Amino acid sequence: MPIGTPTASERARAEADHWAEIAKRWTQVKVPELWADRPPTEKDTVIFYDPSVDIARRARKWGYAVEGNDLSSLALFAAGLAVAEERGWDEGTPDIATRAYEARRLLIGDRIVHWAVPWLDAVGHGNAGHAEVAVSDCDLILGFADEAKVAPATPGPEGIFVDGEDSYGPIEPVAGRTRWTESLWSGEVVFHSDRLANQIALYEKSAGKWAGYAAEHAGTAQLWLDLSERALRTSRHLKTR
């Protein structure tokens, strides 16, 4: 190992510290008025899916009690798994270390990055008081997810996703267009206070933005390619109103 290269234990500790800081910054109860219509949870961002049972199941495997399903609680869980990995390496139990790493990788890929990055992106562009920290934490989470390669681009959806679905779920609008545009499944997180009169232009702009994300983040590219296509599809649906 080259001199100065951090060990696996040191990398896990550094990531644990970062996740703990993210948790501290986005404790939901501190400033709920800033996102009353879009709390930092997968349930409130996606709307059509509640991850509570899945999160509780993952936590039980590690004897961990997750206080909530918001970004802060999930970040604390990720931090705890990173600490478990660090201890595994330090105590000579690499099997525990690798299990903790994989559990954290799956937590990030399945329950955090796909909605937290769009949520933080929206806060970063829509609330001047928290824009800088939102963009910074968005980049941090993207970095962790890209390094873990949680969703690299696939050559095609055949055999990977059920017909009519992508990495997020059903691709066609459900529960009416208004409800659909309130969901990340439409291709964007839109806070009520930031809604634009021309939603078509909003989604067309978002499609380009997510395509840019895909080009810059190979380890999570499939998510952003899917969001880009969803945004374009939503803009087409809106044009037919």
Side-chain angles (χ1 to χ4, degrees):
M1 179 182 297
I3 296 175
T5 300
T7 64
S9 172
E10 290 169 339
R11 287 196 297 271
R13 165 48 63 182
E15 187 171 334
D17 291 342
H18 283 308
W19 281 115
E21 287 299 317
I22 291 172
K24 185 186 301 183
R25 285 191 285 267
W26 298 104
T27 299
Q28 188 175 351
V29 297
K30 288 184 179 179
V31 280
E33 68 277 4
L34 292 178
W35 42 76
D37 65 331
R38 285 289 183 277
T41 70
E42 181 176 359
K43 180 181 178 181
D44 291 292
T45 303
V46 171
I47 295 178
F48 301 114
Y49 178 72
D50 185 349
S52 303
V53 173
D54 180 64
I55 292 171
R57 175 187 59 80
R58 293 169 190 259
R60 281 196 302 271
K61 289 184 177 181
W62 291 90
Y64 192 89
V66 180
E67 293 185 1
N69 297 331
D70 58 296
L71 178 57
S72 178
S73 298
L74 292 175
L76 280 178
F77 187 13
L81 289 170
V83 169
E85 181 191 351
E86 176 198 22
R87 289 175 178 168
W89 295 125
D90 290 345
E91 295 173 3
T93 52
D95 58 322
I96 294 177
T98 54
R99 280 177 49 220
Y101 168 80
E102 186 61 14
R104 187 170 77 258
R105 177 180 178 273
L106 291 174
L107 178 69
I108 295 169
D110 296 341
R111 296 278 72 88
I112 298 178
V113 67
H114 68 288
W115 71 267
V117 163
W119 188 88
L120 288 165
D121 179 272
V123 172
H125 288 90
N127 188 286
H130 290 264
E132 186 174 348
V133 69
V135 171
S136 176
D137 285 346
C138 183
D139 289 343
L140 270 177
I141 293 174
L142 273 170
F144 297 146
D146 283 335
E147 183 176 359
K149 296 180 174 60
V150 300
T154 57
E158 294 80 6
I160 298 175
F161 305 116
V162 177
D163 287 345
E165 295 190 3
D166 61 11
S167 58
Y168 281 84
I171 60 177
E172 290 296 331
V174 298
R177 286 175 178 163
T178 298
R179 191 65 168 158
W180 183 254
T181 57
E182 292 177 348
S183 168
L184 173 61
W185 279 2
S186 68
E188 185 57 277
V189 175
V190 184
F191 287 81
H192 290 170
S193 59
D194 296 332
R195 283 194 179 276
L196 300 180
N198 190 345
Q199 285 190 321
I200 294 172
L202 166 65
Y203 282 103
E204 289 176 343
K205 181 179 179 180
S206 294
K209 176 183 67 177
W210 297 128
Y213 266 63
E216 296 172 6
H217 299 282
T220 51
Q222 191 61 50
L223 296 174
W224 319 130
L225 289 172
D226 288 344
L227 274 191
S228 178
E229 182 58 34
R230 282 172 174 269
L232 284 176
R233 188 179 293 109
T234 298
S235 73
R236 290 196 293 267
H237 280 295
L238 291 171
K239 288 176 182 178
T240 64
R241 285 192 301 186

